[in-house]
Amino acid sequence: MARKVMNLIATDINRPIGDIKLNIDIANLEETILGVIEDMAPNESEVKDKEGRWYSVRIRPYRTIDNKIDGALISLIDIDAIKRSQTQLQGALSYTQAIIETMREPLVALDGDVRVLSANKSFCDTFNVHASDIKDKLLYELGRRQWDNPVLRKLLGEILPKKNYFNDFELSFDFPEIGQKTMALNGRQIKLHGKDSSLILLVIEDITERKKAEDILKRDNKTLDKMIDKRSKELIRLQMELVKSRHLSAVGTLAATVAHELRNPLADIAISIHRIKKIVKDPVVEEILTGVNGRVLESNQIINDILMYSKTTIVRYESAKINDILISSIDEQAQNFPIGKIAINEKIARTKDLIIEVDPIRIKEVFLNILHNALDAVDKDAGIIEIESDVNDSMVSILIKDNGEGIAKKDLKNITNPFFTTKAKGTGLGLVVCKQVLMLHSGSLTIKSVEGKGTTVTVTLPIHKKENV
Amino acid sequence: MYKKILIVDDDSGVCNSLAMLLREEGYDVDATTESSEAVVLIEKDRYDVCLFDYKMKGLNGKDLLKITKNINPQCSVFIVSAMFNLEELCQKEIKSGLATGVISKPFDVEELLKKIAAMDS
């Protein structure tokens, strides 16, 4: 084989090796051989032949039987196959290395004892370390022991050896400049063939943003649920108000019809009483008839009250200046009521020139009523009534504050109950009807009071009319 | 001269009682429950005072008011009614003086008689 590989022929024997043109490219062959003989030490190298096959070349000193160095022995071993696979392996390794280095996720390789073997660039950048600094260190010792987590210890120590992998283990890290970050870890254990040791690969993903988004979503969902719940409740409440309002409207129409119809018979009775009085000149009869007439008038008053109550279901919208309505109510009340030393302070500059869509007659009646109550409640000598107005994009609010006797807590709840009473107060409307009028305008009336201190009535109205379907 | 009075009210009870009352006071009274008949009467006779109910089938009180005033501007016309917001409804007519007045039912009989007596014949 030497003949073939080195291109030797029979006639080459006894020729100097330097003179022979060999197939194999061994650098400085003569020198190397002489060196081996002189140093009495073997020399090994790897060489390629002209066809590119790899050989391991060994040059050993040749010992004679008397142990004298008498030359050199060159042996060639065909390592082509091995070399090829080595190259392949090298290639594969480079490839793998490139993948690991190009990977955007941090990756760290650990040995079976959880000591760092290597880490990719991403890992070093993320955790701000040098690969050389962390090599051979226990993972748990790294970065102020942030990796030292009992669950992670269990995963790496117990679970991996059995299951070979784990996914999506979440771990929080506190970075000095960046702050808190949440990472998801995937781990894999590779048992190395022929060795008892294993290789652990940890791939890390920064899920801080994802977690934040998840939390926001969860929170938003909760908020959304709350909003939906609130809106649903509001919707139900509005529907019930609408039903109530419609019902009141129906009752109102009925009441109006009944009241109207009753007036004719009453008129007839009244006329008849008068005629009887004229015909029968008897004092007893006269007395009786006077009594009957009284009942007629009483009946008529009841009808008036009913009609007042029912009338308020009809709202006739007009564009009007709210301040005009207020001032008109104040002036009228001041005329009809002995004001005395009661101070009425107007703080209505904010709604100067503000025009709103309301039924001015109804709303005036509301203010007249509230003012009447306030004037009634305060001390004639030291009473103070404040009328304050405010406005925003869609609503105007008017507060009527008095420093009068106030309303007891237990009465406060009932004062605006839609409980029909024939004993209407003030100008014929009670707070019951005031609230109804405001409700029909899609406004509101609220009363705050402290017994002995005073009362504040707040009226709100939309600037533009809201059509009730 | 006795005053001539026309009463128009679709409630027969009121219509009758009012007519009787005013006759007993000495007035010359015509009364009807039909507004259509009222028109005929208005065109035929000259009345000094008219009492028209507001709400009626067919022509209502205001309509009759206009017709009467066209034919006889001197007539004193009162709108008598059970309507709650009578004054509001007849605002224009009261303001312009077309209607002499409005009277709510049930009325004070004495007051009504005084008003009618006060009208010039």
Side-chain angles (χ1 to χ4, degrees):
Chain A
M1 192 162 125
R3 262 184 267 195
K4 192 170 115 200
V5 170
M6 301 195 72
N7 195 25
L8 296 167
I9 49 180
T11 50
D12 282 327
I13 299 178
N14 280 330
R15 282 178 67 199
I17 192 128
D19 289 351
I20 303 173
K21 262 226 182 78
L22 299 166
N23 251 357
I24 295 188
D25 193 12
I26 307 173
N28 310 319
L29 183 59
E30 267 196 55
E31 258 181 68
T32 316
I33 296 169
L34 288 168
V36 166
I37 296 169
E38 211 175 292
D39 295 339
M40 290 187 282
N43 176 286
E44 237 183 283
S45 62
E46 289 174 0
V47 289
K48 256 199 308 200
D49 71 4
K50 286 217 171 74
E51 278 138 37
R53 283 188 84 86
W54 281 93
Y55 294 90
S56 168
V57 177
R58 232 204 226 163
I59 308 171
R60 275 173 292 160
Y62 177 64
R63 286 178 194 274
T64 59
I65 300 174
D66 359 333
N67 220 24
K68 265 211 287 190
I69 310 287
D70 196 22
L73 202 62
I74 305 174
S75 51
L76 291 155
I77 303 170
D78 186 334
I79 57 161
D80 191 71
I82 299 167
K83 200 68 179 181
R84 240 178 257 284
S85 57
Q86 250 181 23
T87 317
Q88 276 179 347
L89 199 65
Q90 203 72 13
L93 224 67
S94 306
Y95 182 55
T96 314
Q97 207 87 353
I99 294 175
I100 293 171
E101 281 309 305
T102 318
M103 255 173 76
R104 292 169 77 80
E105 287 88 352
L107 184 147
V108 62
L110 313 161
D111 66 14
D113 295 322
V114 194
R115 285 185 188 276
V116 176
L117 287 171
S118 69
N120 70 352
K121 183 176 187 298
S122 186
F123 186 94
C124 297
D125 288 344
T126 304
F127 294 96
N128 202 21
V129 290
H130 287 294
S132 46
D133 292 337
I134 57 173
K135 187 159 161 59
D136 292 329
K137 291 228 164 63
L138 259 182
L139 179 70
Y140 309 123
E141 286 169 359
L142 298 183
R144 298 175 296 138
R145 300 207 77 92
Q146 295 208 69
W147 296 88
D148 193 353
N149 174 290
V151 183
L152 184 61
R153 273 184 180 263
K154 190 171 180 188
L155 282 169
L156 294 175
E158 292 171 32
I159 313 271
L160 262 195
K162 289 193 208 132
K163 205 177 154 203
N164 287 332
Y165 75 96
F166 65 81
N167 287 332
D168 298 319
F169 169 67
E170 286 180 23
L171 194 58
S172 268
F173 287 90
D174 219 343
F175 293 97
E177 260 130 64
I178 312 166
Q180 253 227 353
K181 294 233 166 224
T182 311
M183 306 284 186
L185 272 61
N186 280 10
R188 239 158 203 67
Q189 173 141 331
I190 304 169
K191 292 241 163 52
L192 300 173
H193 285 294
K195 297 191 182 169
D196 263 331
S197 58
S198 42
L199 180 68
I200 298 171
L201 293 176
L202 275 182
V203 177
I204 299 129
E205 189 189 344
D206 186 345
I207 57 165
T208 316
E209 292 307 308
R210 194 186 82 196
K211 274 231 103 84
K212 263 192 213 156
E214 278 175 10
D215 284 337
I216 291 172
L217 201 67
K218 227 186 273 171
R219 195 190 64 217
D220 280 352
N221 270 340
K222 247 197 222 147
T223 312
L224 201 68
D225 280 337
K226 259 198 213 147
M227 276 175 67
I228 290 173
D229 196 38
K230 192 169 152 207
R231 288 270 191 270
S232 306
K233 289 204 176 109
E234 179 70 19
L235 211 67
I236 293 170
R237 188 191 71 83
L238 284 172
Q239 269 197 301
M240 286 177 69
E241 293 266 2
L242 196 66
V243 169
K244 224 197 287 178
S245 168
R246 282 209 185 117
H247 181 72
L248 283 171
S249 176
V251 169
T253 313
L254 177 69
T257 311
V258 167
H260 179 262
E261 294 306 304
L262 280 172
R263 281 184 155 166
N264 274 334
L266 282 177
D268 201 353
I269 294 168
I271 297 168
S272 303
I273 289 171
H274 182 98
R275 288 175 65 207
I276 297 172
K277 270 196 178 167
K278 271 244 150 122
I279 296 166
V280 179
K281 290 292 176 208
D282 186 306
V284 176
V285 174
E286 258 196 64
E287 205 184 307
I288 296 169
L289 290 175
T290 307
V292 175
N293 202 46
R295 302 323 302 270
V296 168
L297 294 173
E298 203 186 303
S299 307
N300 195 36
Q301 189 51 45
I302 293 172
I303 292 171
N304 272 343
D305 290 347
I306 297 172
L307 285 179
M308 270 284 191
Y309 187 74
S310 69
K311 191 175 72 154
T312 60
T313 61
I314 308 158
V315 178
R316 288 199 191 84
Y317 284 102
E318 279 173 39
S319 291
K321 279 194 187 167
I322 182 69
N323 277 19
D324 285 347
I325 302 175
L326 275 168
I327 292 167
S328 163
S329 313
I330 297 166
D331 287 345
E332 193 172 308
Q333 209 54 280
Q335 275 181 352
N336 298 337
F337 209 89
I339 291 283
K341 297 215 186 101
I342 302 172
I344 301 182
N345 300 334
E346 291 169 25
K347 294 183 182 170
I348 54 177
R350 277 187 221 135
T351 49
K352 183 176 184 293
D353 296 328
L354 174 67
I355 294 174
I356 61 174
E357 290 174 320
V358 288
D359 184 330
I361 301 173
R362 299 283 92 73
I363 296 298
K364 183 171 167 181
E365 282 170 346
V366 169
F367 288 134
L368 282 172
N369 192 267
I370 299 171
L371 283 167
H372 180 100
N373 290 345
L375 287 164
D376 228 0
V378 298
D379 186 299
K380 300 292 167 273
D381 291 318
I384 304 171
I385 297 173
E386 263 179 25
I387 297 131
E388 205 181 297
S389 69
D390 204 353
V391 64
N392 69 15
D393 283 337
S394 59
M395 302 286 277
V396 60
S397 63
I398 296 110
L399 282 83
I400 298 162
K401 296 184 215 179
D402 70 60
N403 63 346
E405 52 195 21
I407 305 162
K409 218 174 181 177
K410 62 175 171 67
D411 292 334
L412 206 53
K413 266 196 281 180
N414 295 325
I415 209 165
T416 54
N417 252 350
F419 173 78
F420 173 63
T421 168
T422 59
K423 299 214 186 324
K425 286 190 186 168
T427 54
L429 293 175
L431 285 171
V432 174
V433 182
C434 286
K435 199 169 181 187
Q436 197 192 347
V437 170
L438 290 167
M439 199 172 77
L440 286 165
H441 280 82
S442 301
S444 72
L445 181 140
T446 46
I447 304 171
K448 285 205 178 95
S449 185
V450 179
E451 211 172 358
K453 290 255 174 85
T455 307
T456 303
V457 178
T458 308
V459 168
T460 67
L461 284 162
I463 295 174
H464 298 286
K465 68 177 175 201
K466 303 236 172 95
E467 295 293 355
N468 270 332
V469 174
Chain B
M1 199 166 101
Y2 290 114
K3 284 206 193 107
K4 249 193 134 119
I5 301 177
L6 175 63
I7 299 168
V8 187
D9 194 315
D10 60 354
D11 184 296
S12 56
V14 172
C15 196
N16 257 353
S17 294
L18 201 49
M20 298 299 289
L21 173 76
L22 292 174
R23 278 180 199 136
E24 282 155 16
E25 290 294 314
Y27 296 108
D28 187 0
V29 181
D30 282 335
T32 175
T33 53
E34 300 293 321
S35 44
S36 50
E37 202 191 307
V39 177
V40 175
L41 288 169
I42 294 165
E43 284 174 345
K44 211 170 58 160
D45 273 314
R46 290 275 166 274
Y47 293 96
D48 298 303
V49 178
C50 290
L51 300 171
F52 297 145
D53 188 22
Y54 183 88
K55 194 156 169 286
M56 286 189 287
K57 257 194 298 196
L59 296 167
N60 68 21
K62 275 210 270 191
D63 301 326
L64 286 178
L65 165 68
K66 286 198 193 104
I67 295 168
T68 311
K69 282 299 199 174
N70 267 338
I71 297 171
N72 179 14
Q74 304 289 66
C75 183
S76 304
V77 181
F78 290 90
I79 307 284
V80 180
S81 186
M83 297 293 283
F84 185 67
N85 48 350
L86 189 60
E87 272 179 31
E88 230 179 276
L89 293 168
C90 302
Q91 227 175 37
K92 227 178 43 184
E93 288 75 9
I94 298 167
K95 263 207 179 134
S96 64
L98 203 64
T100 309
V102 293
I103 301 167
S104 299
K105 278 192 229 171
F107 36 76
D108 186 324
V109 183
E110 293 289 342
E111 287 292 322
L112 174 69
L113 292 175
K114 278 198 200 135
K115 277 195 181 134
I116 296 173
M119 294 296 110
D120 291 331
S121 9

